[in-house]
Amino acid sequence: MFNSRQFWLFFMLFIPVYGLFAMWRRRTAMLVFVVLVSLFFYYKSSGLYVLLLVARALFDYYIVRIMDDNPNPRCRKALLLLSLISSVGVLAYFKYTNFFALNLSEIVGGNFQPLDIVLPVGISFYSFQSISYVVDVYKRRTKRAGSLLDYLFYLSFFPYVAAGPIVRAASFLSQIRRHKKITDKMVFSGLWLVMTGLVKKAVVADYLAQYNDLVFSMPAGYSGFECMMGVLGYSIQIFCDFSGYSDIAIGIARIMGFDLGINFRSPYKSLNVTEFWHRWHISLSTWLRDYVYIPLGGNRKGSLRTYINLMATMLIGGIWHGAGWNFVIWGGLHGSGLIAHKIYCSHYHGRNVSAKFLPWLLTFAFVTFLWIFFRAENLNGAMMILDNIFTDFRPDMVLPFVQTRIGWVAVCFLSLVAILVPVKFYSFLESEFIASRLWIKIIVFICVVQLVLEFSSSDISPFIYFQF
Amino acid sequence: MRPYIKLLILLFSAFIVMTVFSELSEVRLFGHKIVTMQSFLTHDTINDSVEFCDVDTTNDVIANDTLPRVLLFVGDSMVEGLSSRLGAYAYHNGHKLYTVIWYGSSTEKWAESGKLSMYIESYKPDYVFICLGGNELFVRNADERRKYVRSIVSEIDSLPFIWIGPPNWKDDTGINEVIRSEIGDKRFFLSKGMRFDRAADGMHPTEKSSCEWMDSVVCWMKRQMPHPKMEIPAEKVRKPYKTIVLTPDD
């Protein structure tokens, strides 16, 4: 929704009203207003599934109240299980029913026709938020929401409800009732994030996608080199698409005075897979760490159990992204990478790796290689791309490719350079923007909008993570 | 509230500047035509109002040629779906169908490559089908494509042909009108406005929908001009006699 004109026209009307509530310190009125806006936006993207979101909020809120007030540990545990089963059950129904039924049908030789199940937007994200809230209150790691309104606000907040980041109740609920003075720095640093997000999404990701989509939709028509370029392009595309969305979501929340943390910390600068997962989709990786990996035993039960836990966590992370074997393989291969890195560290612990280029290249190549499974339409498509790359590379295609797709190559190369530029440089630009005069900000903003218009395809591409 | 007032001033100023800018007829920077908000906003979804034509109910057909013929079907990736159905027609009616699918191709590519002349020379078709324009729906220089359409038509020379327009999923920037105005209503099948079930990519019609699309073309063709024998085949799809696949970089 953030890349549609309707959203921004609406946002221009939303901000004055929100600002008035903030100025008058009418916190409850502000909450009601934002909840209504959030539900309206959710309704616009998912129709009557908005009722599912409201039902989730009602169910969690009252279950947690009863659980929190109950001194009996068994009763508390039963209520926790009830909530978890309902969250995971609803998510599983919408996301995995056809997948499991289809596979079961193939095993038993049946003739299964997929059910007409539409995946509600953001269900994977808000289900995970709901689980984290219930578990955290159960474990007394956080206080329960002060009111149903607070919890509904937390679960449905429009900047993140559709595609994350997955915000924890512990860090967010406390911000809801706090009177925070909105400063210039807060608003314009939020706007800066929104602008960088729009450039990442509309200028880089959507432009690169034009070629990448061709390669992934009919890999048979491309040589190995072209397929490899498509894969490299997708690696940059998915980062710019998803981190762009996260930037916009975090930026809008910051403009409104809420801190959602950070979701990407230059993941493609990682020197190993473990570091990559500390930097990529941080809200999901920390969620998986805290609610899957550690409860399974983490690294406290010996090496073998650690590896099994890592693999199980990454498989869950893989299938969370989509109901398909390619996502399972993607998660499993990442799990293998993490295990391999752990084994390497246990054998070569303390060795100083002074040369950083090779580990960086290996990590980037590994992560990019695995995107093939993530993006391919099915397992056959992924295998066809791999087959082309390894058996029909055709280096003679390099020059004609560069000549005919010079614009794509330029955007790809510049994006890669931009991704590797030190964060300090962007922080410097951001602080300069915040400190600049208003008319300079207006010019910068107009330039960004014009850039987005120039690069935008007429058809607005949805954010990749909306499908999850 | 002050920060929000500043933000609103920024947003509204930008909005006003972009709106005024979009009122200017054409702004160029170093020869590049600047995209305005106006042109960006006018791309709204089209109203899918035209239904598929039902082949069985067609009565007012023009007398056709009953001899077995050689058919040549060229174009972009849309040909893939259409040619399976046309293959069934060809087989059923005794024709020989050659298909050339050039993925990612455009009128420009076909006009400048001279490939159409080459295939006409090789296969000596009696009738040519073209499906092009799907990769040019949103180009900003639709009118500049006119010369490519003319070039393609000149390559066909005196052979009878029809041009199947692209299956719009949104309103185009003028390619349909450019083709129609160059070749005339009798030869141009306007697919824009038809309702298609789309494949996962959101662009190409599904196999079933492509078959219905081809049926509509045949049904329309029978009412427009002399045409090869086109009785409805019993089988739904059949491979063309020969298919040549070209990649975007060919």
Side-chain angles (χ1 to χ4, degrees):
Chain A
M1 65 184 173
F2 298 147
N3 53 345
S4 73
R5 57 182 182 267
Q6 289 92 338
F7 176 80
W8 292 106
L9 291 173
F10 190 84
F11 190 67
M12 284 200 286
L13 300 174
F14 168 82
I15 272 296
V17 182
Y18 181 82
L20 285 174
F21 285 130
M23 187 178 72
W24 293 334
R25 298 198 162 213
R26 295 280 188 271
R27 209 62 186 166
T28 305
M30 181 277 281
L31 293 180
V32 172
F33 174 64
V34 176
V35 165
L36 289 175
V37 168
S38 299
L39 294 179
F40 171 72
F41 271 108
Y42 194 83
Y43 170 76
K44 291 298 283 179
S45 61
S46 278
L48 286 176
Y49 283 127
V50 68
L51 298 176
L52 195 67
L53 175 64
V54 175
R56 175 86 268 140
L58 283 167
F59 187 76
D60 285 344
Y61 178 73
Y62 286 109
I63 281 275
V64 165
R65 266 187 69 154
I66 299 165
M67 182 179 77
D68 201 31
D69 290 339
N70 200 315
N72 185 340
R74 292 181 72 175
C75 194
R76 282 167 53 80
K77 201 164 198 168
L79 288 166
L80 171 73
L81 280 175
L82 180 66
S83 174
L84 292 183
I85 288 167
S86 77
S87 283
V88 176
V90 171
L91 180 62
Y93 168 75
F94 281 103
K95 210 160 177 174
Y96 307 111
T97 302
N98 279 330
F99 175 66
F100 285 122
L102 203 65
N103 281 289
L104 191 68
S105 162
E106 278 183 13
I107 291 166
V108 299
N111 183 25
F112 172 74
Q113 293 299 316
L115 304 173
D116 190 16
I117 299 173
V118 179
L119 186 68
V121 167
I123 190 169
S124 310
F125 293 92
Y126 74 70
S127 296
F128 271 29
Q129 289 198 173
S130 135
I131 291 170
S132 72
Y133 169 69
V134 178
V135 172
D136 284 356
V137 174
Y138 172 79
K139 294 202 167 184
R140 311 276 191 213
R141 288 197 290 231
T142 187
K143 287 181 181 173
R144 73 186 194 212
S147 68
L148 178 61
L149 185 63
D150 287 14
Y151 188 65
L152 198 54
F153 184 94
Y154 160 66
L155 212 60
S156 67
F157 192 44
F158 72 87
Y160 60 59
V161 72
I166 301 165
V167 176
R168 304 284 185 85
S171 66
F172 193 79
L173 285 173
S174 59
Q175 297 182 49
I176 292 178
R177 291 279 169 183
R178 194 192 306 153
H179 287 288
K180 199 169 184 179
K181 191 172 184 297
I182 306 291
T183 61
D184 274 5
K185 188 180 176 189
M186 214 184 269
V187 168
F188 289 109
S189 122
L191 184 67
W192 174 262
L193 271 178
V194 168
M195 289 193 301
T196 49
L198 282 174
V199 170
K200 279 182 186 173
K201 165 65 182 163
V203 178
V204 182
D206 286 357
Y207 182 77
L208 292 179
Q210 292 176 35
Y211 173 72
N212 305 337
D213 289 350
L214 280 174
V215 171
F216 280 97
S217 64
M218 46 178 185
Y222 292 89
S223 65
F225 173 74
E226 290 168 298
C227 286
M228 198 178 83
M229 286 293 101
V231 174
L232 175 67
Y234 184 72
S235 191
I236 297 167
Q237 182 200 336
I238 190 167
F239 168 68
C240 289
D241 192 293
F242 191 30
S243 73
Y245 178 88
S246 291
D247 286 348
I248 298 171
I250 294 167
I252 290 172
R254 195 176 289 176
I255 289 172
M256 294 168 67
F258 293 94
D259 180 16
L260 303 187
I262 185 172
N263 209 21
F264 289 84
R265 197 184 292 117
S266 308
Y268 287 152
K269 286 179 188 163
S270 307
L271 301 181
N272 55 64
V273 191
T274 307
E275 188 185 352
F276 174 79
W277 279 104
H278 287 159
R279 291 165 173 263
W280 177 274
H281 201 171
I282 295 166
S283 65
L284 174 68
S285 53
T286 51
W287 192 98
L288 290 170
R289 181 196 65 199
D290 294 346
Y291 301 99
V292 180
Y293 178 67
I294 292 175
L296 284 173
N299 59 2
R300 306 184 302 275
K301 298 185 177 179
S303 299
L304 183 64
R305 187 62 191 275
T306 302
Y307 303 149
I308 292 169
N309 292 342
L310 265 178
M311 182 56 83
T313 306
M314 292 315 293
L315 287 173
I316 290 172
I319 197 114
W320 176 86
H321 281 88
W325 288 111
N326 45 335
F327 289 109
V328 177
I329 291 172
W330 175 78
L333 289 172
H334 264 290
S336 309
L338 289 170
I339 292 167
H341 180 246
K342 276 230 180 298
I343 293 170
Y344 173 85
C345 286
S346 62
H347 284 81
Y348 300 95
H349 181 69
R351 279 197 189 182
N352 184 21
V353 182
S354 53
K356 290 185 174 175
F357 180 72
L358 193 61
W360 170 80
L361 188 66
L362 278 174
T363 308
F364 182 69
F366 179 73
V367 170
T368 299
F369 167 75
L370 296 194
W371 288 130
I372 295 174
F373 296 95
F374 190 90
R375 171 60 180 84
E377 289 176 4
N378 49 46
L379 209 48
N380 287 341
M383 297 320 290
M384 193 176 285
I385 286 176
L386 288 174
D387 191 41
N388 283 354
I389 292 175
F390 290 112
T391 63
D392 182 30
F393 191 75
R394 288 169 63 186
D396 55 303
M397 290 299 296
V398 177
L399 202 60
F401 181 87
V402 174
Q403 282 168 345
T404 48
R405 298 192 185 279
I406 185 71
W408 188 91
V409 172
V411 171
C412 198
F413 176 74
L414 290 174
S415 310
L416 203 53
V417 171
I419 283 170
L420 299 175
V421 164
V423 178
K424 275 183 186 172
F425 176 70
Y426 295 111
S427 304
F428 168 74
L429 289 181
E430 183 183 349
S431 57
E432 286 295 305
F433 175 76
I434 294 167
S436 66
R437 290 177 175 278
L438 186 61
W439 65 268
I440 295 176
K441 289 189 181 89
I442 293 172
I443 291 173
V444 172
F445 185 74
I446 289 172
C447 289
V448 168
V449 173
Q450 188 59 40
L451 194 65
V452 168
L453 288 182
E454 290 289 339
F455 273 82
S456 288
S457 58
S458 54
D459 194 11
I460 292 185
S461 312
F463 288 95
I464 292 174
Y465 262 66
F466 269 27
Q467 63 189 291
F468 306 133
Chain B
M1 191 64 185
R2 264 176 70 94
Y4 285 141
I5 292 170
K6 284 185 188 173
L7 179 66
L8 280 172
I9 291 171
L10 183 146
L11 292 174
F12 277 107
S13 306
F15 187 73
I16 289 164
V17 169
M18 302 302 288
T19 308
V20 170
F21 190 58
S22 68
E23 289 303 310
L24 303 173
S25 58
E26 187 173 305
V27 185
R28 287 184 178 270
L29 187 67
F30 303 116
H32 168 73
K33 190 180 169 189
I34 302 291
V35 180
T36 62
M37 207 152 64
Q38 184 73 32
S39 58
F40 186 74
L41 295 179
T42 48
H43 286 136
D44 289 327
T45 308
I46 58 165
N47 179 20
D48 289 339
S49 55
V50 181
E51 295 295 334
F52 284 101
C53 172
D54 186 354
V55 186
D56 298 323
T57 60
T58 306
N59 296 318
D60 51 343
V61 296
I62 292 173
N64 65 355
D65 186 345
T66 56
L67 292 173
R69 294 291 179 188
V70 176
L71 314 178
L72 175 63
F73 192 6
V74 301
D76 53 26
S77 53
M78 300 295 169
V79 172
E80 192 178 344
L82 290 169
S83 61
S84 304
R85 182 63 178 154
L86 188 58
Y89 274 99
Y91 183 78
H92 181 78
N93 291 284
H95 307 307
K96 195 180 269 186
L97 172 65
Y98 291 93
T99 301
V100 184
I101 307 169
W102 190 355
Y103 288 104
S105 66
S106 59
T107 51
E108 183 182 6
K109 278 190 167 180
W110 278 96
E112 291 188 343
S113 66
K115 284 186 193 294
L116 183 55
S117 306
M118 190 182 82
Y119 290 119
I120 289 174
E121 182 63 28
S122 303
Y123 302 130
K124 306 211 175 339
D126 302 298
Y127 205 95
V128 178
F129 291 78
I130 301 168
C131 182
L132 268 176
N135 296 311
E136 293 152 285
L137 285 171
F138 310 121
V139 292
R140 294 180 188 136
N141 60 346
D143 203 53
E144 289 170 26
R145 310 270 157 157
R146 194 175 291 280
K147 59 178 182 283
Y148 303 129
V149 176
R150 278 187 202 145
S151 171
I152 290 169
V153 172
S154 72
E155 282 186 67
I156 299 170
D157 198 14
S158 57
L159 287 171
F161 74 96
I162 61 156
W163 190 310
I164 304 167
N168 292 46
W169 56 95
K170 291 185 83 176
D171 207 355
D172 59 84
T173 51
I175 191 69
N176 271 301
E177 180 51 28
V178 165
I179 301 168
R180 191 204 60 77
S181 62
E182 280 301 315
I183 66 174
D185 288 324
K186 291 276 182 191
R187 284 174 165 167
F188 182 58
F189 179 82
L190 183 67
S191 309
K192 174 182 170 179
M194 295 180 79
R195 199 172 286 126
F196 297 100
D197 292 327
R198 306 281 175 176
D201 62 9
M203 295 182 287
H204 298 88
T206 57
E207 190 190 16
K208 182 172 176 284
S209 215
S210 291
C211 287
E212 290 170 340
W213 185 15
M214 195 66 231
D215 283 342
S216 300
V217 173
V218 170
C219 159
W220 166 86
M221 194 173 82
K222 287 178 175 177
R223 289 182 295 195
Q224 299 301 319
M225 57 193 298
H227 52 273
K229 186 181 170 192
M230 282 288 179
E231 284 177 8
I232 303 160
E235 57 185 340
K236 203 70 186 163
V237 292
R238 191 174 185 92
K239 269 190 170 182
Y241 179 76
K242 185 174 182 182
T243 299
I244 293 145
V245 176
L246 302 174
T247 67
D249 292 308
D250 280 318

